Amino acid sequence: MYLEAGLLTRRSVRQFEKGHKIAENDMKDILKIAMYAPSACNKQPWEFVVIEDEAMKNKIAEIHPYAQFVKDASAAIVVCGNEQEQCDNGFWIVDTSAAIENLLLALHGKGMGGCWCAIYPYAERMKAFQNLLGLPEHVKPNALIVAGYPIKQPTQPQDRFREDKIHYERW
Amino acid sequence: MYLEAGLLTRRSVRQFEKGHKIAENDMKDILKIAMYAPSACNKQPWEFVVIEDEAMKNKIAEIHPYAQFVKDASAAIVVCGNEQEQCDNGFWIVDTSAAIENLLLALHGKGMGGCWCAIYPYAERMKAFQNLLGLPEHVKPNALIVAGYPIKQPTQPQDRFREDKIHYERW
C-alpha cells in the first residue's frame, strides 16, 4: 500500500477476528513505527503497555465506557507519556498523539486495524488505567488502542476535505 | 513510497529550496490528508492557516524563537484546534497532533519535508500567534509546520526502536 493511499484509507476498526493473535514480530514492527513519530526535542517520551491476557482485557472493558469490543480484539495497547522524559511540561500529550497516529497507520499497513479509545483528557479514566496497569504517577495514559484483524475491510471514509478549514495568510 | 517505508523514513527538514513554491493542488492534497486523521467523536476540530507571504514569514521568524528557517521555506502552516468544535474539553490538542503527523507524512510522500515547531504548550507563544494571525480566542495554535522542498534528502533516522519502552500486560 502506498503512503498516500494508506493515509486516506485508514479507518477506525471495532470488529475483530476473535482469537487471531498478532505475531510477535508484527507487534514489534508496529511499536517500532510508533516510535518513529516526531517528538519535541526528539525526547520520545512514550511508553507502551501491550495487553493480550483475556482477564486483563475484560478488566479494561470494565473501566473504559466505550471499549467493550476490546474483549474480542487481539490486543489492547495503552499508549502513555512519561512526564520525566518529555522536552518540557505539556509535550507528552502532543508527542504520544503523533505516535498513536503512526501506530494506527502501521496496523493499517499490515492489514490490521485499530480504534483510538480516549483515556486523556478524562482524569477519572486516567486514574483507573494507572491503577489497573500499575503505572507510576509520572506515566500518563493518553489512549487505549484496541487492535486486531478486521472482520471485514472498512469502507472508504466519507470525503473529509473541508475547504472552509483552510485560511490563507491569516484568519 | 510504501506506507511502512514512509513512516520509517520521515524526518524533520529545516533546509529548503528557496523560492520553490508548493503548487496549489499539492497544498490541498497535503491539507486533505491532514484532515483524514482520526479525531475524538470524529469532530475534526482543526483549522489550518497557510502562510506564503514573505512579510508574514518574516514576522513568524520574529515571534517563534526556533523557526528562523521559515524565511527560506515555501510555506508556513499553522495548525490550530477549534475549541468550539471539539468532542470535549481538551481534545483539540490530541486531534490536531494526529493531523499534524498526517500532514508531515503527506509532505514526505510528495518529496517535500517539514519541521514541527511547537507553539503549544507555551502560553506566550500561543498568544503571539493568535495576535499575528487574528485567531479568535477559541482557536488555539498547536504548532507551526515549516514546509518546502529539501535541499538534500535527509538521511535515515537512527534506530529509534527501544525495547525498554514496551511493557507487557502491566508496568
Side-chain angles (χ1 to χ4, degrees), chain A residues 12 14 66 116-118 122 160, chain B residues 37-45 85-88 91 95:
Chain A
S12 294
R14 292 181 180 82
Y66 306 112
W116 183 330
C117 303
Y122 300 106
R160 291 186 179 168
Chain B
S39 58
C41 316
N42 194 25
K43 284 287 190 177
Q44 307 170 33
E85 300 199 1
Q86 63 189 341
C87 175
D88 210 340
F91 275 122
D95 298 339

Side-chain angles (χ1 to χ4, degrees), chain B residues 16-84:
Chain B
F16 301 97
E17 289 178 4
K18 189 158 184 166
H20 192 155
K21 196 172 149 53
I22 299 175
E24 196 180 320
N25 59 324
D26 282 334
M27 182 61 84
K28 288 209 173 159
D29 281 353
I30 291 159
L31 297 174
K32 174 178 171 171
I33 287 173
M35 296 179 195
Y36 274 65
S39 58
C41 316
N42 194 25
K43 284 287 190 177
Q44 307 170 33
W46 32 67
E47 306 277 357
F48 304 88
V49 185
V50 178
I51 297 124
E52 295 180 314
D53 177 72
E54 295 301 322
M56 280 296 280
K57 287 195 285 180
N58 289 336
K59 283 184 192 160
I60 287 173
E62 281 170 26
I63 65 173
H64 196 295
Y66 305 113
Q68 291 306 302
F69 53 92
V70 70
K71 296 179 192 173
D72 290 342
S74 307
I77 304 167
V78 179
V79 182
C80 307
N82 189 327
E83 287 188 318
Q84 294 180 350

Side-chain angles (χ1 to χ4, degrees), chain A residues 47-93:
Chain A
E47 307 277 356
F48 303 88
V49 185
V50 178
I51 296 125
E52 296 180 314
D53 177 72
E54 295 301 323
M56 279 296 280
K57 286 195 286 180
N58 289 336
K59 282 183 192 162
I60 288 173
E62 282 170 23
I63 65 173
H64 197 294
Y66 306 112
Q68 290 306 302
F69 52 93
V70 69
K71 296 178 191 173
D72 290 341
S74 307
I77 305 168
V78 179
V79 182
C80 307
N82 189 327
E83 287 188 318
Q84 294 180 349
E85 300 199 1
Q86 63 189 341
C87 176
D88 210 340
N89 283 339
F91 275 121
W92 72 268
I93 189 65

Side-chain angles (χ1 to χ4, degrees), chain A residues 47 49 80-85 126-127 129-141, chain B residues 167 170-171:
Chain A
E47 307 277 356
V49 185
C80 307
N82 189 327
E83 287 188 318
Q84 294 180 349
E85 300 199 1
M126 290 172 75
K127 195 72 210 154
F129 274 90
Q130 286 190 302
N131 290 341
L132 178 65
L133 303 178
L135 303 176
E137 185 52 35
H138 64 278
V139 175
K140 304 293 189 196
Chain B
H167 312 267
R170 52 179 286 125
W171 187 261

Side-chain angles (χ1 to χ4, degrees), chain B residues 26-170:
Chain B
D26 282 334
M27 182 61 84
K28 288 209 173 159
D29 281 353
I30 291 159
L31 297 174
K32 174 178 171 171
I33 287 173
M35 296 179 195
Y36 274 65
S39 58
C41 316
N42 194 25
K43 284 287 190 177
Q44 307 170 33
W46 32 67
E47 306 277 357
F48 304 88
V49 185
V50 178
I51 297 124
E52 295 180 314
D53 177 72
E54 295 301 322
M56 280 296 280
K57 287 195 285 180
N58 289 336
K59 283 184 192 160
I60 287 173
E62 281 170 26
I63 65 173
H64 196 295
Y66 305 113
Q68 291 306 302
F69 53 92
V70 70
K71 296 179 192 173
D72 290 342
S74 307
I77 304 167
V78 179
V79 182
C80 307
N82 189 327
E83 287 188 318
Q84 294 180 350
E85 300 199 1
Q86 63 189 341
C87 175
D88 210 340
N89 283 340
F91 275 122
W92 72 269
I93 189 64
V94 172
D95 298 339
T96 55
S97 296
I100 289 169
E101 177 59 353
N102 266 22
L103 191 157
L104 291 170
L105 291 164
L107 286 167
H108 183 46
K110 287 188 181 293
M112 298 181 227
C115 186
W116 183 329
C117 304
I119 300 175
Y120 179 94
Y122 300 107
E124 201 177 322
R125 223 181 277 175
M126 290 171 75
K127 196 72 212 153
F129 274 90
Q130 286 189 302
N131 290 341
L132 178 65
L133 303 178
L135 302 177
E137 185 53 35
H138 64 278
V139 175
K140 305 293 190 194
N142 177 340
L144 161 70
I145 310 304
V146 180
Y149 288 85
I151 285 180
K152 58 180 193 310
Q153 283 305 313
T155 54
Q156 277 286 110
Q158 294 207 295
D159 188 1
R160 290 186 181 168
F161 181 69
R162 289 267 306 272
E163 183 81 47
D164 61 310
K165 296 287 197 176
I166 309 174
H167 312 267
Y168 295 96
E169 302 305 336
R170 52 179 286 125

